[in-house]
Amino acid sequence: MRVIVCGAGQVGFNIARHLAGEGNDVTVIDQRPELIRKISDTLDVKGVVGFASHPDMLENAGAADSDMVIAVTFADEVNMVACQISHSLFKVPTKIARVRHQSYLEPMWRDLFSRDHMPIDVIISPEVEVARAVVRRLQVPGAIDVIPFVNGRVSLVGVHCSADCPVVHTPLRQLTELFPDLGMLVVGILRGDRIIVPNGDDHMIPGDDVYFAVDTEHINRALAAFGHEEEEARRIIIVGGGNIGMFLASQIEESFPDVNLKVIEIDGEQAKAAADRLKHGVVLHGNALDREILDEANVAATETIVAVSNDDEVNVLSSLLAKRYGAKRAVTLINNSSYGPLVSSLGIDVVVSPRDVTVSTILQHVRRGRIRAVHSIRDGLAEVIEAEALQTSPLMGTPLREVKLPAGIIVGAIVRGDDVIIPHGDTVIQTKDRVIILATAGQVKKVEKLFSVSLEFF
């Protein structure tokens, strides 16, 4: 597949890394020579210096022969024009654009991105996606990650294993004996900077981040098995009244109408605008790093602080200060991936990465075969994929223990009609089943082949 990525920032770099690592022909356009130099030196991609919305730049990048354009520059207008030109002049089949300004996304303008007007096939809004990701974590306290699959029937849940987790050092095959009617299967264990796709003899140790597929109706019981029985937050502080903060505040007011919500915003004009938008929440104008502002927000009685300002350092420090002064849990937005391993050890409970959220959303539309949803784990170490089983798939009609899946691939759950099936060795996949699979980075292409129309597999 030939792909043009417009924008060599963090999102563009990681999309290019994913695609190039899987053998795709990738070209990246950016106006900043230093970013193109970095991406060309680091990845097996072609770099083009220039404006991604200029026809000659797109032509030079090979738009006439490309299958897809992914426009993720910092400017919404450049992304939209790049997609328009790719369609009108070069007939590129698939166009994906990141659009951040919420005015473009108002329901009243829903026809803007239609084929008759501005032909963009997929619109990605990082602010909206990040806010939704935070809300899911608020709905499932104790989880570091929650991703719904098959219309919410199955969830991928990540939890941190501390020393007092009741199932550490327990072989995974014994979990079935301990919880025989619990619809859950551990599909991945993050230990340090590597991911383990476990078998029945593996076990968890303190410090691991564990991902399991679970029937959504069993989430609370599954979390209890890992020692997480936290209650939903009734008092929440949001740091940052920008696009993410305000969309998140609106979602909280809609989903949790009884929550006592406070927003801290340092910019006076932004704070006033935020106050005008909120129905019930209170907006405090001030610095979230000031003890007085945190006291005014009643941080000592707050269950969760959610730091989503546009400054990583403010997010980290305000989260740590809030926990020191009494907040029970901190959910922290971090753009710089190098901070991730550090902040968890400092006591921050949940890290949300806009880059990872955006990359996951884009990959869903890049994957071939009957792929319905994709979620990238920890900077691309693995992907969890929802796929529809076809009659031609090598998985069909054979018990899973006889399929001999490649190392690094595990089936976590199957949805068949109204039933959620947690698979075992005797399970047989049937046509039109929705299958949830975790695959390490190097095995994703094999999953695509498993769910493609062709009979070819390896």
Side-chain angles (χ1 to χ4, degrees):
M1 183 166 61
R2 300 193 66 177
V3 182
I4 297 175
V5 178
C6 302
Q10 289 194 25
V11 171
F13 182 94
N14 277 275
I15 286 293
R17 178 167 62 85
H18 275 274
L19 296 176
E22 294 165 10
N24 295 290
D25 185 346
V26 181
T27 301
V28 182
I29 307 173
D30 199 289
Q31 61 177 312
R32 293 161 292 184
E34 68 277 8
L35 291 185
I36 290 297
R37 188 162 50 250
K38 175 186 175 184
I39 206 168
S40 298
D41 291 344
T42 308
L43 305 177
D44 184 16
V45 303
K46 176 185 176 183
V48 176
V49 178
F51 285 89
S53 56
H54 290 179
D56 57 335
M57 289 295 107
L58 288 165
E59 182 181 42
N60 187 27
D65 300 316
S66 294
D67 302 293
M68 181 179 294
V69 166
I70 302 172
V72 289
T73 74
F74 287 109
D76 291 349
E77 293 73 19
V78 170
N79 296 338
M80 292 188 287
V81 171
C83 289
Q84 177 74 68
I85 291 173
S86 297
H87 172 83
S88 301
L89 298 185
F90 302 108
K91 308 299 186 235
V92 177
T94 304
K95 286 80 60 183
I96 299 175
R98 178 171 65 178
V99 178
R100 307 183 71 168
H101 202 285
Q102 297 303 296
S103 65
Y104 288 120
L105 307 175
E106 293 287 345
M108 68 181 73
W109 316 125
R110 63 169 57 91
D111 291 336
L112 173 62
F113 300 110
S114 67
R115 184 161 289 273
D116 293 334
H117 297 103
M118 190 170 289
I120 301 175
D121 302 289
V122 181
I123 297 292
I124 306 296
S125 172
E127 286 76 12
V128 172
E129 298 296 337
V130 167
R132 288 173 177 163
V134 172
V135 168
R136 289 195 298 268
R137 288 161 170 84
L138 294 175
Q139 290 172 327
V140 187
I144 59 173
D145 209 348
V146 184
I147 304 297
F149 291 97
V150 197
N151 299 317
R153 304 277 302 286
V154 174
S155 295
L156 174 76
V157 180
V159 294
H160 182 72
C161 288
S162 58
D164 56 0
C165 172
V167 293
V168 293
H169 305 302
T170 302
L172 294 182
R173 67 174 74 258
Q174 290 186 17
L175 291 183
T176 304
E177 301 169 10
L178 292 170
F179 309 101
D181 59 343
L182 180 57
M184 175 193 76
L185 181 69
V186 174
V187 295
I189 299 173
L190 278 167
R191 186 169 295 162
D193 58 356
R194 67 190 182 100
I195 187 162
I196 300 166
V197 177
N199 58 43
D201 296 322
D202 286 312
H203 62 270
M204 297 158 287
I205 64 175
D208 285 349
D209 288 339
V210 177
Y211 282 84
F212 57 84
V214 61
D215 183 334
T216 299
E217 294 184 355
H218 295 184
I219 278 186
N220 291 334
R221 292 178 55 213
L223 286 169
F226 284 88
H228 290 284
E229 298 184 86
E230 296 90 336
E231 295 182 356
E232 285 189 13
R234 301 262 61 91
R235 289 172 291 273
I236 297 174
I237 295 173
I238 296 176
V239 176
N243 284 336
I244 294 177
M246 290 317 300
F247 190 85
L248 174 59
S250 300
Q251 291 284 297
I252 290 174
E253 288 192 329
E254 181 179 330
S255 303
F256 310 96
D258 297 330
V259 162
N260 181 314
L261 177 65
K262 295 184 175 68
V263 177
I264 300 175
E265 170 54 48
I266 194 169
D267 181 85
E269 290 298 317
Q270 195 116 320
K272 185 177 183 302
D276 291 339
R277 287 182 58 182
L278 290 184
K279 298 176 182 176
H280 311 295
V282 175
V283 178
L284 302 176
H285 174 214
N287 190 337
L289 302 181
D290 288 347
R291 174 68 185 268
E292 292 180 0
I293 288 293
L294 291 174
D295 286 341
E296 187 178 348
N298 197 15
V299 68
T302 295
E303 282 97 359
T304 303
I305 182 167
V306 184
V308 291
S309 79
N310 58 6
D311 188 311
D312 284 357
E313 286 75 13
V314 169
N315 292 339
V316 171
L317 292 175
S318 62
S319 297
L320 295 176
L321 284 172
K323 290 201 71 174
R324 180 179 180 182
Y325 298 144
K328 295 181 176 62
R329 191 164 183 251
V331 179
T332 309
L333 180 135
I334 296 178
N335 286 285
N336 190 332
S337 60
S338 62
Y339 288 178
L342 171 66
V343 296
S344 297
S345 64
L346 294 175
I348 288 173
D349 303 281
V350 178
V351 172
V352 179
S353 166
R355 184 190 68 189
D356 286 351
V357 172
T358 306
V359 168
S360 292
T361 307
I362 292 172
L363 286 176
Q364 176 178 334
H365 302 282
V366 170
R367 294 281 168 246
R368 292 186 165 180
R370 292 296 182 92
I371 306 300
R372 304 301 185 191
V374 174
H375 178 68
S376 178
I377 292 179
R378 190 66 64 82
D379 205 21
L381 283 177
E383 290 181 24
V384 180
I385 298 168
E386 174 193 332
E388 181 181 343
L390 300 171
Q391 191 170 1
T392 55
S393 171
L395 292 173
M396 298 295 298
T398 305
L400 285 177
R401 66 162 50 91
E402 298 177 18
V403 173
K404 296 181 181 177
L405 289 170
I409 296 176
I410 184 171
V411 177
I414 300 167
V415 176
R416 180 178 301 152
D418 295 329
D419 298 325
V420 175
I421 301 166
I422 301 302
H424 49 77
D426 295 326
T427 301
V428 177
I429 293 174
Q430 299 179 8
T431 306
K432 295 187 178 180
D433 283 353
R434 291 292 184 90
V435 186
I436 313 303
I437 290 179
L438 180 140
T440 55
Q443 303 290 22
V444 170
K445 297 301 289 184
K446 292 182 180 178
V447 174
E448 289 184 344
K449 290 181 180 180
L450 279 170
F451 293 94
S452 64
V453 176
S454 171
L455 284 168
E456 177 188 358
F457 180 25
F458 294 111

